[in-house]
Amino acid sequence: MGGKQQCDDIGAYLMGISSRMMMRGLIFGLSILILSCTAVSSGVAVPPLQKGDSSYTIPKEKMMRIKAADLTIQVDPNFAYYKNRSVESIADELYLAGYKAVHYFVVNEHNVNGPLIDAIRKRGLMVWLMTLGNGTYSTDRYPAGWEAWKMRVNSPTGEASGFTFLTPFHPDFVAWKKKQLVRLMKTYAFDGIELAESYFPEWDAIRLRTYGDVGPLAAQAFLDRYGVRMPDFQDRDSPDYYLKQPDRYKKWIDFRVEIINGFLDDLINGKDGIREARPDALVATWSLAIDKGEQSFSKIREYQGLDAAKMIERVKPDLHYFQTHWPDWIKSESELPPDYMKHYQAFVDQVRRVHPHVPLGLQADIGSIQSMVKSKDWIDKFNQHAREYGYVTWTSYEYHLGGHIYHEPLLVKECTRQGESEIRIAFNKRIDPAAITEGQLSILTEEGLFPLEGAKLTVDGHWLILKRTDWPSDGFELRVNNVKDTPQWWLFKSYPANEIAKDTRVKVLPASE
């Protein structure tokens, strides 16, 4: 999840690998905690120490909405697949695919397609505002001086490559992000908001030299809180080297968990925050899960400041998602069985011991890299196993990146009359307008089979639209041939086009029905 400033294929691809490859930690900018933070003398934004609430209840109406939308999908409209087609066709394609909710990935707070949100909701699907936490792939239209918000990591350059991590310790960044997210929730008809990838970088980051936050604001905040210097993560000869100071390092680990959870708490529950602006909206938190043996949970906490139970206790979300971490999702289909979530049970159990009432969701990646694209069969089994392992909802990144787009045959999903002169055929995916000619269609009535003549043919995404003034009023069939899907709009263009089965029959109901 993630994205570049430009909406081309390469930029969209970088969005797709977000926390997983480019930031080694994806499948999506928001960070906020200033107004409820304690302003220490250094000017650093640090959340106050406080105990969360493990006994809160989720309103029944919100719980029903979450459970009703079990099968969901992530969509990033910056990809080429969604360009040059109507928002209505996008919404209809997602509806016909069986999804009940869409996680709309907002890469940049200033680039949101309001008509698409409205079209998806009109088609009967919920729409989540899904965005990243303390980082971004696009700094377009950020305010002057935003560079001061960059997080420092223990690399030679001090910055992560391919992604801009932002420090939750900077009060100006936090305040700006809160205002942006509240603006989005008040401007657009999102049903809920979810904050993916709010964490520190990254898995095995000290060794990889991508560990953060080790900047001056983080160091000052730790000094103010504990009266000791931040551990050193670069100089093995330093007396402050983290392995030489185990007690201090433990405090540092706990401190990072507290910072992430306080950061989210302020954004969602703080003064002028999301719940104050949109009390009707659903709220979901996200944390990572990984299959790395018995130490999986403790290492996620140590490396990235993530503790799902503590996060839930502090933030009180309506739903919590476990996001598949990049060392897992990068595996090929043969290496990652669709029931891999059984290895995440330690993460689930840790939450269930404290928050048995909180619904849990699961996120997978189905195609950010060509070597790990997941087939339709794998995705169907993943959905089934997610339910079996107690998740009330599940999703995957990203709709058009899955193997169903590349490998599944082109099928007709629906045919409807739109008034007296228009017939609209909906396919299971986008079709190629260059492959459509009048000679590819025939009309079959009780009188026989006749070539289709005098019709105006247009393509809108997955719709083939036929306009003619003299359609038979009784029911009839159309015979369709040679329609193809659209490798030119796919992320990985090396796959061949799929063609509809020869002489596909499409039933057209009588005009009176």
Side-chain angles (χ1 to χ4, degrees):
M1 298 180 306
K4 286 286 190 184
Q5 294 181 21
Q6 302 301 318
C7 298
D8 55 15
D9 283 354
I10 298 301
Y13 172 66
L14 292 176
M15 297 175 206
I17 58 179
S18 171
S19 77
R20 301 144 14 204
M21 278 307 279
M22 296 304 297
M23 55 202 263
R24 288 190 171 92
L26 209 37
I27 70 140
F28 22 213
L30 29 110
S31 329
I32 299 97
L33 56 76
I34 179 165
L35 291 175
S36 68
C37 294
T38 300
V40 295
S41 58
S42 61
V44 178
V46 181
L49 286 168
Q50 55 182 270
K51 182 175 177 58
D53 181 4
S54 61
S55 63
Y56 76 97
T57 58
I58 298 168
K60 182 178 179 180
E61 181 271 336
K62 290 187 174 182
M63 184 72 83
M64 291 175 61
R65 289 162 63 193
I66 291 168
K67 290 183 176 180
D70 50 3
L71 180 59
T72 75
I73 192 68
Q74 292 173 265
V75 170
D76 181 349
N78 291 302
F79 280 110
Y81 188 81
Y82 305 104
K83 303 299 183 183
N84 302 309
R85 60 187 296 191
S86 71
V87 295
E88 290 80 13
S89 75
I90 298 171
D92 188 63
E93 182 175 339
L94 297 169
Y95 169 81
L96 293 176
Y99 296 109
K100 300 175 184 177
V102 167
H103 303 262
Y104 182 121
F105 182 26
V106 174
V107 176
N108 183 286
E109 299 86 347
H110 298 285
N111 182 18
V112 178
N113 189 335
L116 176 58
I117 298 166
D118 295 339
I120 295 172
R121 296 185 77 244
K122 186 176 181 181
R123 203 63 181 90
L125 285 70
M126 285 175 41
V127 184
W128 288 84
L129 163 56
M130 194 209 83
T131 187
L132 301 182
N134 54 308
T136 183
Y137 277 98
S138 173
T139 57
D140 181 38
R141 284 184 274 181
Y142 271 37
W146 72 267
E147 292 83 359
W149 304 346
K150 288 183 179 181
M151 182 186 293
R152 299 289 294 179
V153 301
N154 69 333
S155 70
T157 65
E159 297 181 11
S161 61
F163 183 80
T164 302
F165 279 103
L166 302 167
T167 176
F169 293 101
H170 201 297
D172 293 343
F173 161 64
V174 169
W176 180 82
K177 293 297 284 185
K178 177 184 283 188
K179 291 179 182 178
Q180 295 304 310
L181 294 177
V182 168
R183 175 182 60 81
L184 290 177
M185 290 300 291
K186 294 177 73 173
T187 302
Y188 301 102
F190 288 111
D191 295 281
I193 183 169
E194 52 195 341
L195 314 178
E197 302 179 9
S198 300
Y199 51 56
F200 294 105
E202 63 168 272
W203 182 260
D204 199 17
I206 298 175
R207 182 182 65 85
L208 295 172
R209 303 192 73 179
T210 52
Y211 183 85
D213 189 346
V214 294
L217 296 180
Q220 185 63 53
F222 187 71
L223 178 63
D224 291 343
R225 178 65 56 81
Y226 294 104
V228 293
R229 288 190 298 271
M230 177 180 70
D232 189 306
F233 298 97
Q234 290 183 290
D235 184 1
R236 293 174 178 268
D237 295 327
S238 169
D240 296 321
Y241 191 62
Y242 77 106
L243 292 180
K244 297 178 179 179
Q245 299 289 342
D247 292 340
R248 191 189 310 180
Y249 184 47
K250 182 181 182 303
K251 290 179 179 178
W252 174 252
I253 293 171
D254 293 342
F255 178 66
R256 282 156 51 94
V257 170
E258 177 194 327
I259 291 298
I260 292 297
N261 295 342
F263 164 76
L264 293 172
D265 182 37
D266 180 71
L267 172 62
I268 293 168
N269 302 312
K271 179 176 171 53
D272 299 324
I274 291 166
R275 278 187 164 139
E276 184 177 312
R278 283 283 309 276
D280 62 302
L282 298 171
V283 171
T285 48
W286 285 44
S287 63
L288 296 167
I290 193 170
D291 177 18
K292 287 290 186 180
E294 294 182 357
Q295 291 188 315
S296 295
F297 171 79
S298 62
K299 287 300 182 182
I300 281 283
R301 194 176 192 275
E302 176 185 356
Y303 291 156
Q304 305 200 248
L306 291 173
D307 184 322
K310 291 291 186 181
M311 181 182 291
I312 293 169
E313 183 176 346
R314 182 73 180 269
V315 182
K316 299 181 282 295
D318 303 307
L319 168 67
H320 183 81
Y321 260 96
F322 284 112
Q323 176 182 353
T324 302
H325 209 336
W326 73 265
D328 288 345
W329 71 253
I330 201 174
K331 297 174 183 176
S332 67
E333 185 168 308
S334 63
E335 297 171 315
L336 188 70
D339 65 347
Y340 71 91
M341 73 285 297
K342 65 187 177 184
H343 300 295
Y344 293 173
Q345 200 58 40
F347 292 91
V348 173
D349 291 345
Q350 188 251 0
V351 169
R352 286 281 171 254
R353 283 193 292 269
V354 186
H355 311 287
H357 63 293
V358 175
L360 298 179
L362 180 66
Q363 184 265 0
D365 189 305
I366 57 174
S368 286
I369 297 175
Q370 192 166 4
S371 61
M372 49 70 62
V373 169
K374 302 301 188 287
S375 67
K376 182 179 185 300
D377 180 66
W378 188 98
I379 295 169
D380 290 343
K381 290 178 179 177
F382 167 83
N383 295 337
Q384 175 185 337
H385 290 305
R387 184 191 300 274
E388 292 171 355
Y389 279 93
Y391 296 95
V392 302
T393 183
W394 46 91
T395 194
S396 53
Y397 184 86
E398 188 266 3
Y399 169 70
H400 93 291
L401 298 181
H404 60 287
I405 292 292
Y406 302 116
H407 304 304
E408 287 299 303
L410 192 60
L411 303 172
V412 172
K413 296 288 288 185
E414 186 179 70
C415 180
T416 58
R417 291 183 186 255
Q418 305 292 313
E420 296 181 357
S421 62
E422 181 178 316
I423 291 174
R424 192 167 65 191
I425 303 173
F427 293 82
N428 59 328
K429 46 186 165 176
R430 191 168 185 172
I431 60 173
D432 186 358
I436 304 295
T437 65
E438 196 176 68
Q440 296 167 224
L441 294 100
S442 305
I443 296 179
L444 179 64
T445 67
E446 292 181 353
E447 287 74 34
L449 182 65
F450 306 96
L452 177 65
E453 297 177 341
K456 179 183 178 182
L457 279 59
T458 57
V459 170
D460 179 5
H462 74 310
W463 281 331
L464 173 58
I465 301 169
L466 315 174
K467 291 186 178 181
R468 192 172 115 163
T469 58
D470 57 346
W471 292 113
S473 59
D474 294 333
F476 64 95
E477 282 188 355
L478 288 169
R479 294 274 183 92
V480 182
N481 284 288
N482 304 119
V483 180
K484 299 179 180 181
D485 54 19
T486 55
Q488 67 269 32
W489 298 113
W490 299 344
L491 179 58
F492 304 117
K493 298 176 175 57
S494 59
Y495 296 108
N498 300 284
E499 188 171 315
I500 197 168
K502 184 178 179 180
D503 290 332
T504 292
R505 295 188 174 194
V506 180
K507 185 176 181 180
V508 182
L509 296 175
S512 58
E513 295 187 18

